[in-house]
Amino acid sequence: MWRVIGQEKVLPILQNNIAKHSLAHALLISGPPHVGKMTLAIDIARAINCEGDNPPCGECESCLKIENGKHSDVQVISLISQNNDIEEKTRTEISIDDIRQIQHMVSLPPFEGKRKAFIIEGAELMSMEAANCLLKTLEEPVTPSVFILITTNIGLIPETIASRCQEITLNPIAAAIIENTLISVYDIDKEMASLISRLSRGCFGWAFSAVQEEKYLDKYFEIRNKAMEMISAGLHERFVYAATLSTQFTRERAIVYDVLDIWLDIWRDVLLLKTELKDSVSNIDLSKQLEKWAECMHISDIRGSIQAIQETKVKLNQNANSRLALEVMMLDIPVIIGNIVKR
Ligand SMILES: [Zn+2]
């Protein structure tokens, strides 16, 4: 059974390729965070190694081992694949050593399965040397291995690598499909399922984590409350928060990107409300407040705020001074008190 849900365009093609033993030796899966890219990659690894009649059966030893990360022919390479707590938080790229390890593994026949699978998560984070090294491996396939590259940003994958891969694009899933699945699988009430499906922005992984993981939503709401509070806060408060985020950034970058994505979601919703596209709003539980802000703001201010947040993400990616970048963002987003907008 394929575990990936709501990707009907993609699955029949893959199933057909696997059944005919014509699956490409390199795949590039792209899509937004939590949309199901890793789930699909693991599904493919299961399908090509499955011992059952209907791969991936999900029941044979191979399927189970792969699902539990215990199969010696399936390897996941990512920023956090080193099992090293300190390194995991500070590593910002996939190094040539990671790829060299793969090269060594590729040269050996499968240990226990039919076909080795190497899943590279965050493929856009490969260093230049790592990408060149991988390119050589892709150009000279020796053993029956499959490379599955996963990325949230296909534009950052070198063309030389992308051109050697079969591209698979996963699109966000309709909120109604996620809502119905949450209700049927987890038996949660409709209102909650509706809110989670909207907040997930079409990404099942996010929605499942929100339901399954204790405190996942609490943490999310905590960040969102702070974001809402900051919209009416003065510059002093905003700069204090910028300093806190900047300190966090040196320890765990991902949290700060999450914060910025939540800020972006809020401002996108304000824009949607301003342009009368209410049905597409994510933060449906905040729509009254967001609608008030949309009413008193000029559309150019809303667009400017979105741009300021996006630019901050780019600057942080380029290793700019994080505190300065966050302070500039705080300055660029207007302060709204009541229905007065202060620029
Ligand atoms: Zn199986």
Side-chain angles (χ1 to χ4, degrees):
M1 216 182 80
W2 292 77
R3 295 170 308 158
V4 71
I5 303 170
Q7 302 293 349
E8 279 73 21
K9 276 190 192 162
V10 167
L11 276 193
I13 303 169
L14 282 172
Q15 279 170 314
N16 192 30
N17 288 344
I18 290 168
K20 289 184 177 163
H21 301 285
S22 63
L23 185 73
H25 81 287
L27 305 164
L28 175 56
I29 306 177
S30 64
H34 311 295
V35 77
K37 299 182 295 299
M38 182 55 87
T39 305
L40 179 63
I42 298 286
D43 275 353
I44 295 170
R46 290 194 312 156
I48 56 177
N49 282 295
C50 178
E51 296 146 27
D53 293 331
N54 194 12
C57 70
E59 287 165 1
C60 69
E61 203 186 336
S62 275
C63 280
L64 293 173
K65 270 191 171 177
I66 294 170
E67 197 172 328
N68 296 321
K70 301 230 157 65
H71 197 287
S72 50
D73 292 316
V74 177
Q75 213 185 335
V76 177
I77 297 94
S78 72
L79 285 188
I80 54 169
S81 58
Q82 301 281 308
N83 291 328
N84 179 332
D85 270 357
I86 302 163
E87 212 186 330
E88 143 182 347
K89 284 175 184 158
T90 49
R91 256 162 63 99
T92 54
E93 61 179 25
I94 293 173
S95 68
I96 187 162
D97 289 338
D98 295 315
I99 305 300
R100 279 199 184 123
Q101 264 186 12
I102 300 184
Q103 269 185 328
H104 175 66
M105 302 275 290
V106 170
S107 65
L108 304 168
F111 294 112
E112 54 179 321
K114 298 176 191 168
R115 211 169 162 184
K116 280 178 187 283
F118 300 96
I119 302 170
I120 305 179
E121 185 184 31
E124 74 280 9
L125 301 172
M126 277 186 290
S127 67
M128 190 75 88
E129 294 86 4
N132 285 333
C133 185
L134 177 69
L135 186 61
K136 271 192 205 137
T137 315
L138 293 182
E139 280 170 340
E140 303 154 7
V142 240
T143 48
S145 307
V146 178
F147 288 87
I148 308 174
L149 280 62
I150 296 179
T151 182
T152 49
N153 194 340
I154 200 164
L156 295 179
I157 302 290
E159 180 51 35
T160 44
I161 288 188
S163 63
R164 281 170 177 81
C165 299
Q166 179 186 343
E167 286 184 21
I168 299 171
T169 309
L170 298 191
N171 292 314
I173 301 146
I177 297 179
I178 297 186
E179 185 182 325
N180 291 335
T181 310
L182 291 182
I183 293 171
S184 62
V185 176
Y186 295 103
D187 195 28
I188 57 171
D189 70 70
K190 191 171 165 44
E191 197 180 336
M192 196 59 185
S194 169
L195 176 61
I196 292 175
S197 68
R198 295 294 195 101
L199 292 178
S200 75
R201 286 202 171 276
C203 296
F204 251 121
W206 195 96
F208 283 151
S209 298
V211 180
Q212 286 172 322
E213 287 174 34
E214 210 187 335
K215 299 200 174 141
Y216 191 92
L217 268 188
D218 290 348
K219 275 187 205 154
Y220 176 84
F221 286 137
E222 196 183 306
I223 296 173
R224 199 183 63 163
N225 288 345
K226 190 75 182 173
M228 295 292 282
E229 193 188 307
M230 282 298 120
I231 291 177
S232 305
L235 269 190
H236 174 70
E237 264 176 275
R238 283 185 175 196
F239 275 24
V240 170
Y241 187 47
T244 311
L245 287 177
S246 166
T247 311
Q248 242 170 353
F249 191 70
T250 55
R251 291 197 303 261
E252 213 174 342
R253 300 169 82 104
I255 293 183
V256 178
Y257 287 118
D258 285 347
V259 170
L260 294 179
D261 282 339
I262 292 172
W263 281 56
L264 260 184
D265 279 350
I266 291 174
W267 283 102
R268 276 200 199 111
D269 283 350
V270 176
L271 184 66
L272 289 166
L273 290 162
K274 184 79 186 173
T275 48
E276 304 281 326
L277 292 165
K278 287 181 191 166
D279 289 347
S280 305
V281 167
S282 296
N283 296 282
I284 42 176
D285 55 328
L286 302 176
S287 9
K288 271 198 184 140
Q289 177 62 65
L290 299 179
E291 212 157 357
K292 277 186 196 158
W293 288 337
E295 265 169 35
C296 67
M297 289 187 85
H298 195 273
I299 199 159
S300 59
D301 284 332
I302 304 172
R303 284 215 185 101
S305 303
I306 292 173
Q307 200 180 343
I309 303 164
Q310 282 170 334
E311 280 171 5
T312 309
K313 285 176 72 177
V314 173
K315 284 183 205 160
L316 293 181
N317 262 331
Q318 294 168 341
N319 293 323
N321 179 323
S322 59
R323 182 159 174 180
L324 185 64
L326 289 157
E327 283 177 355
V328 169
M329 182 187 89
M330 297 295 180
L331 280 171
D332 284 345
I333 297 177
V335 175
I336 319 171
I337 297 168
N339 56 359
I340 312 280
V341 182
K342 296 183 181 177
R343 288 175 197 91

